[in-house]
Amino acid sequence: MSFLYVHGGLTPDQWLTMLPILILSLTIVVVTSAIALKRHHWWNATISVVGLNLALLPLFVHFWLPGVWTLPVPQTVTPLFGIDNYACFYMAMILVTSLATATLSHAYMEGYTGNREEVYLLLLLSTLGGLTVVCSRHFASFFIGLELLSVPLYGMAGYLVKERRSLEAGTKYLVLSAVASAFILFGMALIYSQTGTLAFAAIGARSAELAGSARTVMMLGSAMLLVGIGFKLSLSPFHLWTPDVYEGAPAPVTSYLATASKTAVFALLVRYFVEARAYEMPTLVDVLTGLAILSIVVGNVLALRQDNLKRLLAYSSIAHFGYLLVALIAAGPLAVEAVGVYLLTYVVTTLAAFGVVTLMSSPYSDHDAEDLFDYRGLFWRRPYLTAILTVALLSLAGVPLTAGFIGKFYVMTVGADKHLWLLLGAVVLGSAVGLYYYLRAMVQLYLRQRWVQKYSAPLNWAQGTGGGMLILLMLAMLLLGIFPTPFINLVQAAGLH
Amino acid sequence: MILIWLFMVPFIGGLLCWQIERFGLTLPRWIALGTMFIVLMLALLLWHTGDYSQTLLGNHGAGGGHWVEEFSVPWIPRLGISFSFGLDGLSLLMVVLTGLLGLMAVACSWKEIARNVGFFHLNLMWNLGGVIGVFLATDLFLYFFFWEMMLVPMFFLIALWGHNIPGGKSRVFSATKFFIFTQASGLIMLVSILSLVFVHYRATGTLTFAYDALLNTPMGAATEYWLMLGFFIAFAVKLPVVPFHSWLPDAHSQAPTAGSVDLAGVLLKTAAYSLLRFAVPLFPHASFAFAPVAMWLGVIGIIYGALLAFSQNDVKRMVAYTSISHMGFVLVGIYAGSEQALQGVVIQMLAHGLSAGALFILCGEIQERLHTRDLREMGGLWARFSYLPPIALFFAAASLGLPGLGNFVGEFLILLGSYKVAPVVTIFAATGLILAAVYSLMLVQRAFLGKPKSDEKLRDLNAREVVTVVTLMVLLVGLGLYPQPVLDISHASMAAVQEIYQSGATATASAATLTTTAGAP
C-alpha cells in the first residue's frame, strides 16, 4: 500500500475511511460506461444498486459487526474532510436512502418511454454530493458537495421532460437553488473576510475573539449562510418552492429530495453549529427559534386544506424540519442524538409514504397518483399497501407504535431538558393541527368507493424490488417505534465529540 | 407474567380476528368473545389469588410497599425507560371492568356490524388492549405510550363503522375531533412527564421514567403546580371536565354501539384512574392547592351535564351528557380526598361503567329496530316491546341513583366523604341527584310512555341481548346491595392515595403557618 501513500499523500487508513466515497465514484464511472455501451434499464439499475450496496458494506460492517472489522475512524483526510462516526452514520443513511430511491425509480421508470437510464447516474452523482457534504469540515468541500448534491437534482426533478409540470419543477428548483447557493457563497465570503479561514474549527476559534463591527459582519455572514441552508431545507419563509417541486417531480425523485438531500444538509448544519461554535452567537439562535416556530406554523396550517398528497407531504416536511430545529436549538450531546434519531425516523417514514405514491403511480406514464381522491378506498383493494401508507401517516403524526413517535419524543425530551417552553408549545400545537390532515388523508384510504378508481398499484406490487423495499421500510418503522434501543445505541455512538 | 398476558391477549386476539375473517364472518366475533373472556378470567384469577391489602403506595414515605403483581424488563435503557407493569386493587378492578365491558361490546355488535367484521374486531381488541396497558403501566413512558395508542383504534371504530346523523356532523368529523382533543392534551401531559423526569434527574442524577422512583421527587411549589396542571389537562379532556367536554357528545352520537360502550364504560375511566394513580400521588401539594378549583369544575360538570342531558332529543347524546354529569361526581370525590369519598369514586366508576354501558347498548338496540334515536319519534314504546322498556327503566333508575343499585352507593359515599371537606361544594353537587331524577324520568316518559306512534309490535330482545343486559343488571344490584368485596379490594389503594393527599395537605398547611409566623414580626 505504500505507493498509495507516496502517490496521494494519504495514509492507508485514510484511504480506507474514504472507501464508501471511492466505491461510489467508481460505480458512477461504471454506470456511465455501461450506458454508453448499451442502454438497458434493468442492467443499469442493477449496476447502480450493486454499487450502492458495495459502498454501504464497509459502513454496515463498521456499525453492526464491530467485532469483525471497523473503519479506522476518526480520520482527518486533508483539511477538507473529517470522517468520524458521525459522518459515517449519515453516509450510511444517505446511501440507504439512495438505494431505496433507486429501487423505487426502477418500478416507476418501467412505464416511461423516454431514456430511462440516466436517472440512476444523476442519483449516484447526487448521492456522492451528499456523502461529501456530511464529511466536510471546510467551506470549500461543503460548497462543492452541496452543488454536487443539488445540480443532479435539477435534472432528476425535470426528468420527465415531455411533461410540463415536471419540467416546471426542475426549472423552479434550479432557479431557487441557485439563489440559495449565491446566499451561501456570500455568507461564506463575509465570514472569511472576518476570520481569514474556511475551516469550521478555525472559524469557531477566531469568531470568539471578534468584537464590534467585525462581529456584526460575522453575524451577517452566518445569517446569509442560514438563509441559503433554509432554502435547501425548505424552512419557512424560504419554503415557497417546496410544494410545487414536490408535486411536479416524479414520485421517487421527490422521495429523494425530501430525505437524502435534506438529511445531508441538516447533518452539516449540526456539525457547523457545533464545530464553528455558532451557538455562541445568541442572535443566531434567536433567528433559528423564529424559523422553527414559523416553519411549524406555516407547514401545518398550509397542509390543512391540501387535497394533493404530494403537496400535503411537502407542507408536512416543512413542519417536520421545524420540529427538528428544536433539537438543534437545544444544543448538547443529547440534542445531536435527538437530531440523529429524528432524521432516521423521518427518512424511513417519508420514504415509505412516497414509496406508496410511487407504486401507485408506476403503471401510468402521464400523471402521478397524487390526489387524495385517487386513494379513496384503497384498503379494500390493496390492504397491505394501505397498511404501509397508514403506518407512514401515523408515524408522521407521531403516534405511538411507529417510528415518528420516538423521534417526536426525543425532540420533546431535549426541549424539556433545556426549558424551551415556547418551542415545545409550538411542537404540541403543530402536532395537534397536523393530526387533522394526516387523519383526513388516512381515513380516505378506508372509505368505501362508489366508483372504479383510475389508479391502483399493480396486483403483484409486493413481488418487485420496490415493493420489497416498502415492506422493509414498514418493518423498520414498526421496529423503530416498538424497540428503538439498537437504533438509539447506533445514533449515540455516532455523536459529535 | 400473567400481567403481560392480560394485555397481550387482546392484541393477539385482534390480529386473529382480522385474519380469520376470510374463513367466515361469524368467526371473528367468536374469537373476539373468547379473547375478552380469557382477559376476564385472567383478571378474576388475579382477584382470587392475590392479596390486595398491599399497594406500592401503601407504606408511603417508609418504603417497602410493593405491587401485588409486577413485571419489569428494560426497554430503552438509554433514557431510563423500562417495560414495567404493576397491579394493585384499583388497577385490578379497572381491568375486570374492561374485560366485562369488552365482552358486552362484542356481544352488542353481533348484528350491528355487518361489514369488515374482522377489521372492526381488530380495532376493538386493540383499543381494549391499550386500555388495559394504561391500567397496568408503571413506567410513565409506557403509560403514555398506551394512553396514545388506544386512540387510533377508537378513531377507526368511529370513523368507519359510525353513524352519519342526517343533518349533523359526519362521523369522520367526530372521530377527528375526538382524536385531536385527546392527542393534543396528551402531548401537554408528555411535556409534563418529561419535565418531571428532568427535575428528578437534576435532583438525583438518575434518568428514569419509573413511577416509584418519581413519586417523591423534590421540587418547588410553582414547578409542581405547573406539572400537575399538565397532567390535569390531559385527564380533564378525557374525563371529560366541562370546558373540555365538547368532543364527547359528538363522538358518542356518531360511534357504533360497541364504540360507545367502550368509550363511556372504559375510556373515561382511564382518566379517573390516572388522576388517582398519577396526578394526585405525584403532585400531592399542588393537587391539594388545586382541589377547590377541581371540585368546583366537578360541580359545574354535574349541573351542566344534567341540564344539557335534559334538553337532548338524541338518546345517545343524552346518555353522553349524563356521563359528563356522573364524571363530575368522580372529580369531586377524587379531590375531596377523604377515604370515604375515594372509595365512593371507585364504586361510582364501576357502577357508571355498567349503567352507561347498558344504556348505550339499549340505545343501540332501539336504533336497530326503530332506525332512529330521536326521542320525538319515540313515545309509547312500552306497548310495542315486552322486555326492553322495563330493562331500560331499571338502568334509568340506576342512573338517577336509586338506593339498592351501585350508582347510589358511589354517589352517596362521595357526597358523604366530601361534606366534611367542602360542605358548600357538596351541597351544590347534591343537586345533581335531583337533576338526575328529572332527566332519567324524562327519558322514560318520552321514550316509553305516552301514546304509541304506531300499534305495530317491534321485534323484542333476543336471548343474546337479554343475557347481556341482565348480566349488567345483576352486577349493578350486587354492587348496590353488597359492595363490600369491591371496597375490600380497593381499600389499600385508596387508603394510600388518601394518606399521600393528607401529607400534601399538612405540608401545605405547615408551610402556610411558617410564612405567617415569619411575616408576623
Side-chain angles (χ1 to χ4, degrees), chain B residues 16-259:
Chain B
L16 269 179
C17 289
W18 183 36
Q19 284 306 323
I20 212 150
E21 188 188 357
R22 61 189 74 193
F23 301 112
L25 284 185
T26 331
L27 277 173
R29 305 182 203 279
W30 283 109
I31 300 260
L33 206 62
T35 306
M36 284 335 286
F37 186 73
I38 294 173
V39 168
L40 186 61
M41 284 302 123
L42 285 176
L44 291 178
L45 181 72
L46 282 170
W47 185 324
H48 187 67
T49 55
D51 165 24
Y52 292 91
S53 61
Q54 259 294 349
T55 172
L56 179 81
L57 303 169
N59 302 336
H60 178 65
H66 60 81
W67 301 106
V68 178
E69 282 278 334
E70 57 187 319
F71 176 87
S72 183
V73 285
W75 185 14
I76 310 177
R78 164 85 180 115
L79 298 172
I81 294 167
S82 64
F83 200 79
S84 50
F85 291 116
L87 179 98
D88 68 352
L90 178 64
S91 23
L92 175 77
L93 288 174
M94 292 298 116
V95 172
V96 170
L97 181 72
T98 311
L100 184 73
L101 287 177
L103 271 179
M104 300 301 156
V106 176
C108 75
S109 41
W110 210 272
K111 281 268 151 38
E112 184 189 345
I113 304 301
R115 58 196 166 86
N116 317 316
V117 183
F119 194 52
F120 172 85
H121 285 96
L122 171 80
N123 283 306
L124 188 61
M125 292 298 111
W126 280 33
N127 176 264
L128 291 166
V131 171
I132 292 174
V134 166
F135 288 142
L136 295 179
T138 54
D139 179 286
L140 263 70
F141 179 86
L142 184 66
Y143 162 76
F144 181 79
F145 194 82
F146 283 123
W147 178 266
E148 297 278 281
M149 203 188 71
M150 65 189 181
L151 300 180
V152 181
M154 195 68 212
F155 170 83
F156 276 125
L157 285 182
I158 301 175
L160 300 185
W161 291 274
H163 310 284
N164 274 329
I165 306 299
K169 306 269 176 28
S170 77
R171 55 181 196 242
V172 174
F173 171 88
S174 298
T176 310
K177 188 172 175 184
F178 158 75
F179 201 108
I180 292 177
F181 264 70
T182 36
Q183 168 106 10
S185 62
L187 286 174
I188 296 175
M189 174 166 73
L190 179 60
V191 173
S192 258
I193 292 178
L194 289 168
S195 310
L196 174 66
V197 166
F198 279 106
V199 166
H200 182 261
Y201 177 64
R202 298 230 162 76
T204 64
T206 29
L207 190 63
T208 177
F209 283 75
Y211 175 65
D212 49 352
L214 293 174
L215 263 178
N216 291 307
T217 304
M219 55 188 135
T223 318
E224 187 179 341
Y225 204 82
W226 280 107
L227 296 185
M228 186 275 301
L229 272 186
F231 277 74
F232 183 79
I233 287 176
F235 305 146
V237 168
K238 196 70 148 264
L239 195 57
V241 173
V242 155
F244 311 109
H245 67 285
S246 76
W247 61 272
L248 184 80
D250 282 345
H252 269 306
S253 60
Q254 259 84 322
T257 306

Side-chain angles (χ1 to χ4, degrees), chain A residues 40-304:
Chain A
H40 189 287
H41 187 206
W42 188 84
W43 265 110
N44 289 314
T46 306
I47 295 171
S48 314
V49 166
V50 168
L52 284 168
N53 271 315
L54 283 178
L56 194 57
L57 188 65
L59 295 169
F60 178 82
V61 175
H62 174 70
F63 279 119
W64 292 105
L65 304 167
V68 179
W69 179 77
T70 50
L71 286 169
V73 288
Q75 290 286 341
T76 309
V77 186
T78 73
L80 297 183
F81 297 105
I83 303 178
D84 48 10
N85 269 328
Y86 179 80
C88 286
F89 172 72
Y90 285 102
M91 281 203 279
M93 206 147 106
I94 291 169
L95 284 170
V96 170
T97 312
S98 185
L99 206 53
T101 313
T103 50
L104 290 175
S105 301
H106 183 260
Y108 185 87
M109 287 290 165
E110 277 291 290
Y112 181 63
T113 44
N115 285 335
R116 298 175 287 204
E117 290 75 14
E118 278 82 359
V119 80
Y120 303 103
L121 191 58
L122 292 171
L123 177 68
L124 293 175
L125 282 166
S126 178
T127 309
L128 185 63
L131 299 194
T132 315
V133 167
V134 296
C135 294
S136 61
R137 43 189 10 168
H138 191 280
F139 273 148
S141 49
F142 164 42
F143 192 74
I144 292 171
L146 192 65
E147 288 304 289
L148 190 54
L149 175 70
S150 307
V151 174
L153 272 172
Y154 312 153
M156 286 162 77
Y159 200 78
L160 310 176
V161 279
K162 285 173 201 150
E163 211 201 305
R164 193 182 59 80
R165 291 193 313 161
S166 175
L167 207 53
E168 182 195 322
T171 317
K172 200 168 251 177
Y173 190 60
L174 164 78
V175 173
L176 287 172
S177 192
V179 172
S181 298
F183 267 100
I184 290 175
L185 269 183
F186 199 9
M188 286 174 180
L190 287 179
I191 292 172
Y192 180 73
S193 73
Q194 299 309 315
T195 58
T197 176
L198 289 173
F200 293 171
I203 291 171
R206 296 199 193 147
S207 70
E209 302 157 6
L210 296 177
S213 64
R215 200 170 167 74
T216 316
V217 174
M218 173 74 195
M219 187 63 145
L220 204 62
S222 308
M224 294 194 97
L225 194 66
L226 212 55
V227 169
I229 287 179
F231 265 110
K232 302 276 176 188
L233 294 176
S234 61
L235 295 170
S236 181
F238 317 113
H239 65 278
L240 293 169
W241 60 274
T242 317
D244 293 340
V245 173
Y246 271 48
E247 185 190 358
V253 174
T254 313
S255 77
Y256 182 80
L257 187 66
T259 53
S261 82
K262 289 188 178 182
T263 303
V265 175
F266 205 91
L268 179 105
L269 184 65
V270 174
R271 190 195 281 280
Y272 179 78
F273 260 74
V274 172
E275 291 194 352
R277 299 206 219 150
Y279 284 119
E280 288 166 17
M281 286 187 261
T283 324
L284 210 57
V285 177
D286 289 345
V287 170
L288 272 186
T289 307
L291 289 180
I293 294 177
L294 202 61
S295 299
I296 292 172
V297 171
V298 168
N300 280 316
V301 169
L302 291 184
L304 280 180

